[in-house]
Amino acid sequence: MRKVGIVRDSRFLEHDPGPGHPESPARLEAIYQAMDKASLPGLVDVDTREAEFEELAWNHHPDYVKRIFNTASVERFQLDPDTATSRGSCTAARLAVGGLLNALELVDKGDIGSAFALVRPPGHHAEYDAAMGFCLFNNVAVAAHYARRVLGYRRVLIVDWDLHHGNGTQRSFYEDPAVLYFSTHQYPYYPGTGAVEELGRGEAKGKTVNVPLGAGARDGDFIFIFKEILIPVANFFRPDLILVSAGFDVYEGDPLGGMRVTINGFGRMAAVLLHLADSLCNGRIVFTLEGGYHLQGLAGGVVEVLKACSRDGRTWDAEDAPSPGVAAVVEQVKRVLGAYYPDLAQGYR
Ligand SMILES: [Zn+2]
């Protein structure tokens, strides 16, 4: 049994993007209730704190950070067609980042084995100078900066299994060889980025790995992709930390997406990443909530990930045949990225 840190705060519920919005406070309420009901052993509460201006400015333009801070004084501010704030949004967004940084700190010290930041608003669409797709600050991107600047880690792997491509995270590290961004996502789909050929620039070429998928990918497809691409890429990169943009909108019943992942599938996907963390970086892994709009699928998926984090024996069950479309995408990714990863052609052995 390993201790699992949980970032949880009722102030996350005070970010209200407007009536009928899918990214509603009910999402975290469902997760918190499911966690309490499951009464999982080994969970440790992580204190939250508001991220500092300077920390946010590691990843965002200072004028943009100021702009978000200013939204705290108004009832509602529309940042983009999908993204609006209420009075509590700025505080929630700062707590989301700060809570994640605290979790990272505790994982670094070894006080907890892993952590899950159950926060909102989500972050992976947030750009350097713009809010986008329900996201204000890029939680995971700021955490990767923190890991390098404050904790002194040399290499950070970000795994993004959200339905959508994390355009903001990709942009943040597109020319930074110390942060590897790996994303599976429905494609073509919102936000439009995430083609295989987007693979980083300059010294960071090959450090962005996109696996764009048609609708309908199932549990076994994701496990196959992780085994065939992520594991060899991660083994070559040798990260000091794994950050996960955990989106549950790949769930089979999600109203925004077309993927077919089951609740059990999320535990299996997490098990692959936990295995990687154990073998490469002393178990250091921190999950952060991104999307997920089917409340039962979201809450059930989070509970499965937490069970996997406590190492209760859950595995990914290695025998999975991929669907033909997914196998073709995997071959394409291997062709395009093979030049940067000598072992990629072999996959997981
Ligand atoms: Zn999403």
Side-chain angles (χ1 to χ4, degrees):
M1 172 68 58
R2 306 265 193 102
K3 283 188 197 166
V4 183
I6 296 294
V7 178
R8 164 177 181 161
D9 195 312
S10 60
R11 286 173 289 177
F12 293 134
L13 308 178
E14 288 166 31
H15 163 53
D16 172 16
H21 198 290
E23 204 290 281
S24 75
R27 298 177 61 235
L28 278 187
E29 282 170 342
I31 291 173
Y32 293 169
Q33 275 171 21
M35 275 170 49
D36 292 342
K37 199 171 156 211
S39 61
L40 303 167
L43 300 190
V44 178
D45 281 324
V46 175
D47 290 337
T48 53
R49 67 171 174 88
E50 291 187 51
E52 304 290 343
F53 184 94
E54 293 72 25
E55 293 169 327
L56 298 166
W58 290 336
N59 191 68
H60 296 284
H61 193 293
D63 290 346
Y64 173 70
V65 178
K66 278 182 211 150
R67 196 167 160 224
I68 299 298
F69 278 25
N70 287 337
T71 65
S73 61
V74 294
E75 210 58 60
R76 183 158 305 290
F77 192 85
Q78 196 73 33
L79 288 156
D80 98 329
D82 305 315
T83 317
T85 62
S86 58
R87 281 186 196 277
S89 297
C90 178
T91 299
R94 291 180 66 181
L95 290 168
V97 175
L100 174 56
L101 300 185
N102 278 355
L104 199 47
E105 192 77 45
L106 294 180
V107 167
D108 179 67
K109 280 191 199 144
D111 292 357
I112 51 179
S114 59
F116 201 149
L118 294 164
V119 304
R120 56 186 293 278
H124 72 156
H125 294 305
E127 291 271 355
Y128 176 63
D129 55 0
M132 193 174 150
F134 315 166
C135 302
L136 302 186
F137 298 128
N138 195 316
N139 307 322
V140 159
V142 178
H145 287 293
Y146 185 89
R148 304 215 2 253
R149 287 167 180 255
V150 179
L151 302 178
Y153 294 170
R154 284 166 305 168
R155 288 178 299 278
V156 178
L157 168 63
I158 299 174
V159 177
D160 185 336
W161 78 42
D162 189 275
L163 173 80
H164 305 94
H165 181 244
N167 55 288
T169 313
Q170 170 170 299
R171 174 84 66 90
S172 289
F173 304 109
Y174 208 60
E175 300 181 38
D176 183 347
V179 178
L180 196 158
Y181 178 65
F182 173 94
S183 175
T184 51
H185 43 272
Q186 190 167 331
Y187 186 88
Y189 204 58
Y190 183 88
T193 48
V196 178
E197 293 74 19
E198 294 165 30
L199 46 72
R201 192 177 294 133
E203 290 197 359
K205 261 191 152 178
K207 298 298 193 303
T208 294
V209 180
N210 282 311
V211 186
L213 302 168
R218 297 167 182 272
D219 301 356
D221 291 316
F222 283 90
I223 302 300
F224 180 79
I225 292 162
F226 285 2
K227 274 163 48 189
E228 289 295 314
I229 302 173
L230 178 62
I231 292 181
V233 163
N235 282 339
F236 186 78
F237 181 64
R238 304 203 67 78
D240 301 309
L241 168 74
I242 300 175
L243 297 170
V244 186
S245 272
F248 295 81
D249 38 10
V250 287
Y251 175 63
E252 57 189 352
D254 194 274
L256 298 195
M259 297 308 193
R260 308 285 291 276
V261 175
T262 66
I263 285 174
N264 185 45
F266 290 109
R268 294 180 64 199
M269 288 158 67
V272 180
L273 307 189
L274 288 155
H275 158 79
L276 270 180
D278 285 345
S279 71
L280 294 175
C281 46
N282 206 17
R284 287 188 294 266
I285 184 167
V286 180
F287 294 79
T288 307
L289 183 65
E290 299 284 359
Y293 306 98
H294 183 287
L295 296 185
Q296 288 81 16
L298 169 65
V302 167
V303 168
E304 285 305 306
V305 171
L306 293 174
K307 286 179 183 169
C309 284
S310 69
R311 310 294 203 284
D312 71 344
R314 240 148 263 259
T315 64
W316 71 78
D317 309 327
E319 308 305 321
D320 282 289
S323 57
V326 168
V329 173
V330 165
E331 284 313 307
Q332 188 197 357
V333 173
K334 286 182 175 181
R335 250 193 333 270
V336 174
L337 283 143
Y340 307 96
Y341 299 97
D343 296 335
L344 191 55
Q346 291 173 22
Y348 174 70
R349 294 289 178 272

